[in-house]
């Protein structure tokens, strides 16, 4: 394919990597925004999901919330938030991405605590553990694989979606593609568009592979056999 | 051709929001009233693109699911491939497709939408097919059903709840994804969202597009849920 070749030619030019606003700059921007968004999502979703799961209530609410966020277009969230008092730049992008990170984190934290064998919890209670001790010593360690699975889904989704931030002046790797569109497809921008697409896709796949490894590491060996926690609400990477 | 010029090119003409009081309100009935035609055509385009994408994905996904159900060794590769496709950001996919198929038509958007809907559909159809109880399958084989007869008369109907769940998920996420198409040219309600943003941050236009989009997703979801109830009466009886 001709366009693919143009893309590789663009990627082969070291200046395109090291220039100000080049690939490396954009990559750093991209990853920083994503890290903040995932962190914000975790701070909101994990305590809530763990508490709901510990109490054993609110499962219906979690499902409704997860399904509802599927229906919100990413683009709308990214366009609306800058117009609120948050203003332009990074903060609205971080918040918008965090909104999409919350459902997988929340749903997996909730299922993680709910899937624990009731007999295990009874045994722990019988040994005289209080509610807080039960949570800290039994429930949380046992739900770590689920928390990790949620983190993985959320992080990949955020990294993939962050590409759209460029269209609302939020920076990130999407800027490369956007700049290519600005040149115009027939005037040589196509190579850059394709190159940007390749890089964004590769970054998403790398993050997915890396976090899959992390998830495997934190899953205790007896639990590893193929029974991977399915993400409850994974939207296509916006 | 710079179809994504950030400068002028307002896709949606402004209709003097002067009567809405001062400033730039989030909701403006006047905007909706004055631009009813454009809004309706955007909605129509959105529904059309969603329907085409989901139907094509369904036509591709069902045979794939059946093939990976019949030949188990294929299940892993098919699921892995569609999982990788799912991870690729929509923007990246559009960036790879747009130069190849051009941006004057909505083909690039359609291909991307189909690819994303595919995974949900295949995964759910496969889950629905594999949870058909082995006794049922044996009984059907004992009654003399061949492979296709069994699939058509017994396994597919029993897998229907799973297939419909996948269809609902795919439809809702496709409605939301169509908007991304606005970035490379045509995106139905996404054109309104992005158009309002470029058009001096015209909030009423952005909000109208967003609300219609979410509303459309909910309506389609409810319709499919109703269809599911009609098509699978036995699941209702079991719950009683």
């Amino acid at each position: 394919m001709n366009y693919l070749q143009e893309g590789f030619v663009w990627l082969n030019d070291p200046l395109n990597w090291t220039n100000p606003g080049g690939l490396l700059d954009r990559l750093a921007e991209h990853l920083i925004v994503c890290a903040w968004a995932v962190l914000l999502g975790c701070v909101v979703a994990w305590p809530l999901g763990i508490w709901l799961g510990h109490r054993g209530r609110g499962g219906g609410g979690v499902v409704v919330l997860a399904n509802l966020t599927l229906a919100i277009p990413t683009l709308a969230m990214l366009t609306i938030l800058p117009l609120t008092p948050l203003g332009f730049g990074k903060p609205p992008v971080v918040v918008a991405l965090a909104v999409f990170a919350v459902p997988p984190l929340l749903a997996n934290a909730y299922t993680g605590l709910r899937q624990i064998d009731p007999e295990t919890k009874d045994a722990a209670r019988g040994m005289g553990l209080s509610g807080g001790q039960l949570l800290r010593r039994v429930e949380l360690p046992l739900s770590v694989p689920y928390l990790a699975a949620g983190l993985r889904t959320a992080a990949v989704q955020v990294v993939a979606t962050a590409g759209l931030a460029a269209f609302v002046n939020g920076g990130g790797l999407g800027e490369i593609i956007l700049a290519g569109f600005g040149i115009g497809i027939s005037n040589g921008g196509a190579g850059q568009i394709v190159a940007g697409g390749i890089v964004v896709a590769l970054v998403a796949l790398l993050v997915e592979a890396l976090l899959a490894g992390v998830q495997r590491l934190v899953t205790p060996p007896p639990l590893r056999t193929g029974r991977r926690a399915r993400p409850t609400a994974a939207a296509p990477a916006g | 051709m710079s179809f994504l010029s950030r400068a002028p090119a307002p896709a949606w003409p402004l209709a003097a929001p002067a009567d809405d009081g001062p400033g730039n309100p989030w909701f403006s009935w006047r905007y909706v009233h004055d631009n009813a035609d454009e809004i309706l055509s955007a909605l129509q385009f959105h529904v059309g693109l969603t329907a085409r994408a989901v139907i094509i994905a369904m036509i591709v996904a069902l045979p794939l699911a059946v093939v990976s159900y019949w030949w188990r060794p294929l299940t892993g590769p098919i699921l892995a491939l569609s999982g990788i496709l799912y991870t690729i950001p929509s923007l990246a996919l559009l960036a790879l497709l747009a130069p190849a198929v051009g941006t004057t038509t909505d083909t690039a958007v359609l291909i991307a939408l189909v690819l994303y809907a595919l995974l949900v559909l295949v995964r759910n159809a496969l889950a629905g097919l594999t949870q058909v109880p082995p006794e049922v399958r044996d009984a059907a084989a004992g009654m003399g059903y061949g492979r296709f007869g069994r699939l058509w008369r017994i396994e597919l109907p029993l897998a229907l709840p799973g297939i419909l769940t996948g269809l609902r998920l795919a439809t809702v996420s496709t409605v939301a994804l169509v908007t991304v198409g606005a970035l490379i040219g045509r995106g139905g309600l996404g054109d309104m969202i992005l158009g309002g943003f470029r058009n001096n941050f015209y909030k009423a236009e952005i909000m109208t597009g967003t609300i219609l989009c979410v509303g459309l997703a909910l309506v389609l979801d409810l319709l499919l849920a109703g269809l599911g109830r009609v098509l699978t009466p036995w699941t209702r009886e079991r719950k009683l």
Side-chain angles (χ1 to χ4, degrees):
Chain A
M1 217 200 289
N2 188 17
Y3 289 110
L4 221 51
Q5 264 173 359
E6 277 181 52
F8 283 117
V9 167
W10 194 89
L11 282 177
N12 240 338
D13 186 348
L15 279 183
N16 286 331
W17 290 75
T18 50
N19 268 346
L23 269 175
L24 293 180
D25 277 6
R26 294 305 181 197
L27 182 64
E29 227 172 43
H30 199 91
L31 293 179
I32 288 169
V33 165
C34 292
W36 279 112
V38 173
L39 192 69
L40 184 61
C42 288
V43 167
V44 175
W46 274 351
L48 186 64
I50 288 168
W51 184 69
L52 287 176
H54 180 64
R55 301 289 302 273
R57 280 187 219 136
V62 171
V63 171
V64 168
L65 181 72
N67 287 340
L68 213 67
T69 30
L70 257 187
I72 305 174
T74 319
L75 203 60
M77 204 52 122
L78 283 169
T79 1
I80 288 172
L81 282 176
L83 304 181
T84 59
L86 276 174
F88 282 85
K90 304 269 180 289
V93 173
V94 168
V95 174
L97 293 178
V99 168
F100 291 101
V102 164
L105 289 169
L106 185 65
N108 274 299
Y110 181 80
T111 7
L113 269 90
R114 293 311 300 157
Q115 52 79 35
I116 296 167
D117 195 348
E119 285 174 27
T120 312
K121 283 190 274 187
D122 281 349
R125 284 215 184 271
M127 285 167 70
L129 294 192
S130 70
Q133 283 172 325
L134 176 73
L135 181 66
R136 270 198 310 280
R137 295 203 207 151
V138 179
E139 289 182 322
L140 278 186
L142 280 177
S143 54
V144 162
Y146 282 81
L147 292 177
L151 182 68
R152 171 183 162 191
T153 314
V156 173
Q157 220 164 286
V158 164
V159 167
T161 312
L164 297 177
F167 291 83
V168 293
N169 305 330
L173 282 171
E175 293 277 358
I176 306 281
I177 299 173
L178 184 66
F181 275 129
I183 299 170
I185 258 179
S186 44
N187 305 333
Q192 188 175 348
I193 296 172
V194 170
I198 293 173
V199 172
V200 174
L202 275 185
V203 168
L205 290 175
L206 274 180
V207 169
E208 161 87 357
L210 192 73
L211 289 175
V214 171
Q215 186 192 342
R216 203 180 146 71
L217 277 182
V218 299
T219 305
L223 298 176
R224 269 180 205 167
T225 46
R227 224 198 288 159
R228 193 168 70 86
R230 284 252 169 264
T232 324
Chain B
M1 185 192 77
S2 100
F3 51 87
L4 220 146
S5 53
R6 292 211 232 180
W12 300 89
L14 272 172
D19 285 8
D20 278 317
N24 186 359
W26 280 105
F27 304 98
S28 158
W29 183 246
R30 192 181 160 78
Y31 165 76
V32 177
H33 186 259
D34 288 353
N35 294 279
D37 286 348
E38 283 91 341
I39 294 174
L40 271 183
S41 77
L43 188 64
Q44 228 168 20
F45 179 82
H46 207 105
V47 174
L49 198 54
T50 307
R52 267 187 292 162
V54 172
I55 289 170
I56 295 176
M58 197 73 191
I59 293 172
V60 180
L62 267 187
L64 269 183
V66 168
V67 161
S68 56
Y69 172 62
W70 278 347
W71 292 284
R72 289 298 156 86
L74 287 178
T75 309
I78 287 184
L79 281 187
L81 187 72
S82 47
I84 291 173
L85 272 178
Y86 213 53
T87 307
I88 292 176
S90 56
L91 181 62
L93 198 54
L94 287 178
L96 293 175
L97 289 172
V101 298
T103 50
T104 43
T105 60
D106 44 34
T107 320
V109 186
L110 188 62
I111 296 174
L113 291 175
V114 169
L115 287 179
Y116 284 121
L118 210 55
L119 169 70
V120 189
L121 291 173
V122 170
R123 192 183 265 175
N124 278 284
L126 194 59
L129 283 171
T130 44
Q131 54 90 44
V132 173
E135 305 94 72
V136 175
R137 235 174 292 150
D138 287 347
M143 284 167 73
Y145 278 110
R147 196 172 232 191
F148 285 93
R150 208 172 57 183
L151 179 76
W152 185 246
R153 302 291 303 272
I154 291 158
E155 286 164 342
L156 274 185
L158 281 178
L160 210 52
I163 296 173
L164 281 166
T165 311
L167 194 60
R168 283 175 64 184
L169 272 175
T171 309
V172 170
S173 56
T174 302
V175 169
L177 260 181
V178 169
T179 55
V180 179
L183 300 178
I184 67 154
R186 301 204 59 189
L189 296 167
D191 290 342
M192 290 174 64
I193 296 172
L194 207 63
F197 190 79
R198 293 201 184 118
N199 207 344
N200 254 331
F201 315 118
Y202 185 22
K203 291 174 181 170
E205 190 174 2
I206 299 175
M207 277 319 266
T208 313
T210 308
I211 291 170
L212 280 178
C213 210
V214 175
L216 178 65
L218 293 180
V219 167
L220 289 180
D221 193 44
L222 280 179
L223 278 180
L224 286 174
L227 182 75
R229 271 179 76 86
V230 174
L231 285 181
T232 59
W234 62 89
T235 52
R236 254 178 298 164
E237 276 164 34
R238 197 184 293 157
K239 270 180 197 157
L240 286 177

